[in-house]
């Protein structure tokens, strides 16, 4: 063979090899499809805010610390003062918004004294104030599910308001007997929810909360005589609801107790201190909250893995039934027919 012919054949051979190895017709194998992993659902946190008149400013401090640590509640229940803070929070305000509202709050804007009418305070101003703060929206249109707890006077039963006029529900929940006039809604009469549910843990559960953080600011019988009419009435209601309250608090996942028991029922001048005490108590409870949330997250993750395993097993079983049901000819040919292999 002539040298020139040999070089030509060699060149053609190399070109063919290059084309076979790197040509456009050579495509990488498609990766195998995989089954999407079910994501574990987040833990649904609820707060149950108890009654306690001016002590209720402590709720703002608790919520502030929960938000700061990444534990934002998604459902809110409140009794009496807790229903006031709860309504504002459920409307979309954050803790800093509520703190600004608290600092600028004038008692005259929520207190309308009217003698000889079943109570010293009518409560209409409180109702109007709350409705103005939530944009006059009904409870079912607030950004977070919200429940205000009151007591039906005729039966003594707990009443949970989750729909309708927010201000009116808060007014009913806050109508301390002898201080506020009872509230009539739908032909029924309602007074302060602290009589039957001082810290509304069960209402938060009914709203769908998996992990309930209860905030207890209620007065306790301390052996000392409370000062003033409002203080006496407030402590009397607390004593009446104390036994029921202990049972309900036991159903919470975490109970936070801000040190505000020495703040008077009408001592609005102590609002700043109450907020600070709420912050301190919430931070002290944070390790317990983190541990509880972590346990629920682990349970959710395990549940998601189990759901994936069950789905995979069901798909494999259906695939095998399909293979078994093929025609004899398809089986001899090794064809899967219409059977879709399960995604791994």
């Amino acid at each position: 063979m002539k040298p020139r012919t040999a070089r030509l054949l060699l060149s053609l051979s190399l070109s063919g090899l290059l084309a076979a190895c790197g040509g456009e017709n050579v495509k990488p194998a498609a990766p195998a499809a995989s089954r999407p992993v079910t994501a574990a659902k987040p833990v649904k946190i609820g707060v149950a805010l108890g009654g306690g008149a001016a002590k209720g400013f402590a709720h703002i401090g608790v919520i502030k610390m929960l938000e700061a640590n990444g534990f934002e509640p998604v459902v809110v229940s409140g009794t009496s003062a807790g229903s006031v803070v709860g309504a504002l929070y459920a409307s979309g305000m954050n803790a800093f918004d509520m703190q600004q509202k608290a600092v600028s709050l004038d008692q005259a804007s929520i207190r309308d004294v009217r003698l000889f009418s079943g109570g010293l305070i009518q409560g209409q101003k409180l109702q109007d104030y709350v409705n103005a703060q939530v944009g006059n929206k009904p409870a079912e249109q607030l950004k977070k599910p919200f429940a205000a707890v009151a007591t039906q006077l005729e039966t003594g039963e707990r009443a949970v308001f989750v729909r309708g006029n927010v201000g009116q529900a808060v007014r009913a929940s806050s109508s301390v007997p002898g201080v506020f006039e009872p509230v009539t809604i739908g032909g029924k009469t309602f007074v302060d929810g602290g009589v039957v549910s001082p810290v509304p843990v069960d209402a938060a559960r009914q709203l769908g909360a998996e992990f309930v953080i209860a905030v207890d600011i209620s007065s306790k019988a301390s052996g000392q005589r409370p000062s003033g009419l409002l203080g006496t009435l407030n402590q009397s209601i607390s004593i009446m609801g104390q036994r029921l309250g202990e049972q309900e608090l036991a159903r919470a996942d975490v109970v936070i107790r801000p040190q505000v028991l020495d703040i008077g029922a009408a001592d609005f001048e102590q609002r700043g201190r109450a907020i600070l005490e709420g912050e301190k108590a919430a931070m002290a409870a944070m390790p317990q909250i983190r541990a509880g949330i972590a346990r629920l997250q682990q349970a959710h993750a395990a549940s998601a893995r189990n759901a994936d395993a069950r789905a995979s097993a069901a798909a494999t079983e259906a695939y095998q039934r399909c293979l078994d049901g093929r025609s004899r000819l398809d089986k001899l040919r090794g064809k899967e027919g219409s059977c879709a292999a399960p995604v791994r």
Side-chain angles (χ1 to χ4, degrees):
M1 183 180 294
K2 295 182 179 180
R4 183 174 179 182
T5 302
R7 284 195 301 271
L8 180 59
L9 289 173
L10 180 60
S11 177
L12 289 172
S13 299
L14 288 172
S15 298
L17 286 172
L18 289 172
C21 294
E24 294 182 354
N25 292 329
V26 179
K27 297 180 180 179
S34 59
R35 179 183 296 279
V37 177
T38 303
K41 64 177 182 177
V43 175
K44 200 170 185 179
I45 301 173
V47 284
L49 308 177
K55 301 177 184 67
F57 290 108
H59 294 314
I60 297 174
V62 170
I63 292 172
K64 185 194 293 187
M65 291 300 99
L66 290 176
E67 289 184 333
N69 285 272
F71 300 120
E72 180 179 345
V74 295
V75 301
V76 189
S77 65
T79 291
S80 198
S83 73
V84 179
V85 175
L88 270 57
Y89 187 53
S91 74
M93 293 186 194
N94 60 34
F96 289 96
D97 295 332
M98 291 192 294
Q99 183 167 339
Q100 289 179 343
K101 297 286 184 184
V103 170
S104 61
L105 178 64
D106 179 8
Q107 290 188 58
S109 65
I110 59 172
R111 180 174 296 174
D112 41 6
V113 177
R114 191 167 74 166
L115 300 176
F116 312 113
S117 60
L120 297 176
I121 300 173
Q122 183 183 12
Q124 186 64 48
K125 277 192 173 182
L126 174 62
Q127 176 176 327
D128 294 343
Y129 172 81
V130 171
N131 278 334
Q133 299 305 314
V134 303
N136 292 303
K137 293 180 179 178
E140 62 269 25
Q141 291 183 14
L142 298 181
K143 293 187 177 179
K144 298 177 188 288
F146 169 68
V149 177
T151 305
Q152 187 180 338
L153 193 56
E154 293 87 350
T155 64
E157 295 295 322
R158 183 188 69 146
V160 181
F161 294 97
V162 295
R163 300 180 63 82
N165 190 314
V166 175
Q168 189 178 49
V170 168
R171 177 183 174 186
S173 180
S174 306
S175 292
V176 179
V179 178
F180 281 79
E181 295 179 11
V183 178
T184 301
I185 303 174
K188 299 176 182 178
T189 309
F190 299 93
V191 295
D192 193 287
V195 176
V196 293
S197 182
V199 186
V201 174
D202 293 341
R205 295 278 187 208
Q206 290 170 358
L207 290 174
E210 297 175 273
F211 190 88
V212 177
I213 300 169
V215 187
D216 181 16
I217 56 170
S218 59
S219 299
K220 305 292 187 296
S222 60
Q224 297 181 348
R225 180 178 179 178
S227 60
L229 173 63
L230 186 56
T232 300
L233 287 168
N234 188 54
Q235 181 152 317
S236 298
I237 291 172
S238 297
I239 292 170
M240 286 188 290
Q242 193 165 340
R243 184 62 58 86
L244 287 173
E246 289 173 355
Q247 295 172 0
E248 191 166 2
L249 279 172
R251 294 190 284 274
D253 295 283
V254 173
V255 179
I256 297 175
R257 291 186 172 92
Q259 298 302 304
V260 292
L261 299 185
D262 60 332
I263 295 178
D267 195 356
F268 277 55
E269 298 304 315
Q270 294 279 354
R271 69 192 83 182
R273 184 191 147 211
I275 293 172
L276 180 59
E277 290 296 337
E279 294 177 9
K280 289 162 61 177
M283 288 307 299
M286 207 57 66
Q288 187 182 0
I289 293 171
R290 285 197 181 94
I293 295 292
R295 284 194 296 271
L296 272 178
Q297 288 173 332
Q298 290 172 359
H300 285 181
S303 178
R305 289 193 298 270
N306 290 337
D308 285 340
R310 288 193 297 270
S312 178
T316 301
E317 184 179 347
Y319 176 62
Q320 188 59 50
R321 284 198 304 269
C322 181
L323 291 179
D324 294 341
R326 289 174 300 166
S327 68
R328 185 177 181 184
L329 184 58
D330 281 345
K331 290 180 179 179
L332 289 172
R333 291 177 176 177
K335 290 185 177 182
E336 293 190 352
S338 60
C339 301
V343 179
R344 300 295 183 183

